Amino acid sequence: MAKYFDVHPDNPQPRSIAQVADSIRSGALIAYPTDSCYALGCRLGSRDGIDRIRSIRRLDNRHHFTLVCQDFAQLGQFVQIDNDVFRAIKASTPGSYTFILPATREVPRALQHPKKKTVGVRIPAHVVTQALLAELGEPLLSSTLLLPDEEEPMTQGWEIKDRLDHVLDAVVDSGDCGTEPTTVVDFSGGEAEIVRRGAGDTARFE
């Protein structure tokens, strides 16, 4: 049964955030809100968490997982960025974008695309997510909470708790956060390639 955390969207309760962070460190798989839609998240090195996300979403090994980072300094530890790409991403963060970039050695091989050796990264503009990342002190390994055969992600914490109670360890609810996933931009080839149009404005990458 998943623990349920009702967290204030503008002033997250420190005690609740600390409890969620502790559960992640202990290997928990959580559902949490972002600035685009809800996501599944676990600790970076959690093989069990990866397997559970793959199972819930029925993902193959070509799926790009995302490292949700607190800030640009943290993001830079996990991906390789040249100067031009740095400027483009810096100007767009925090925000509703996921960027696909070559992974550094800090990224476990299981998270990398098997052929391209890339990984997704993002810096969300969401008060609760940022509070959780600050408390955790490391990125959250994440994937959009979009269930198989469904066109839109779930938007309500209580609904997620109700439907996924048996496969999650915790649900963080801070109210409705929308249904549109991030815009995904692939910079792994040096030039911006828009892989998915979503919540983030694509104009600057076209």
Side-chain angles (χ1 to χ4, degrees):
M1 181 179 289
K3 293 181 180 178
Y4 184 79
F5 294 90
D6 188 4
V7 178
H8 194 282
D10 300 315
N11 297 291
Q13 303 92 317
R15 185 169 179 270
S16 294
I17 293 296
Q19 287 176 327
V20 176
D22 284 344
S23 69
I24 294 167
R25 294 187 191 101
S26 299
L29 176 63
I30 72 167
Y32 70 101
T34 75
D35 51 347
S36 55
C37 56
Y38 269 87
L40 297 169
C42 66
R43 195 171 189 182
L44 176 59
S46 174
R47 185 71 207 212
D48 177 66
I50 297 170
D51 290 343
R52 290 167 69 188
I53 292 173
R54 287 193 194 279
S55 175
I56 291 169
R57 293 202 55 202
R58 297 183 200 160
L59 301 171
D60 61 28
N61 66 354
R62 296 186 302 275
H63 175 74
H64 269 110
F65 283 96
T66 298
L67 301 182
V68 178
C69 301
Q70 182 185 1
D71 52 30
F72 212 89
Q74 191 177 73
L75 181 147
Q77 299 175 40
F78 298 94
V79 289
Q80 301 170 35
I81 311 177
D82 65 28
N83 288 338
D84 290 340
V85 174
F86 174 91
R87 284 191 289 270
I89 295 178
K90 185 76 169 175
S92 307
T93 54
S96 300
Y97 299 92
T98 298
F99 300 101
I100 297 172
L101 290 159
T104 67
R105 293 182 180 180
E106 299 293 320
V107 180
R109 184 170 293 181
L111 302 185
Q112 300 177 28
H113 188 283
K115 292 184 179 179
K116 298 179 180 180
K117 308 304 180 190
T118 50
V119 70
V121 287
R122 67 170 301 215
I123 302 171
H126 191 280
V127 172
V128 174
T129 311
Q130 280 289 339
L132 181 56
L133 291 168
E135 179 69 27
L136 190 61
E138 62 183 62
L140 262 174
L141 165 62
S142 294
S143 182
T144 302
L145 207 177
L146 181 60
L147 298 181
D149 305 320
E150 295 193 9
E151 294 184 2
E152 290 191 345
M154 286 184 284
T155 62
Q156 303 291 339
W158 62 265
E159 180 190 11
I160 295 167
K161 162 75 169 163
D162 187 52
R163 291 186 60 184
L164 300 179
D165 199 33
H166 60 297
V167 292
L168 295 175
D169 300 305
V171 175
V172 179
D173 189 350
S174 63
D176 194 342
C177 62
T179 61
E180 197 170 17
T182 57
T183 289
V184 179
V185 184
D186 188 343
F187 274 111
S188 62
E191 300 289 330
E193 177 188 351
I194 298 169
V195 177
R196 179 179 72 195
R197 295 177 188 275
D201 183 9
T202 60
R204 70 181 67 198
F205 301 110
E206 296 180 294

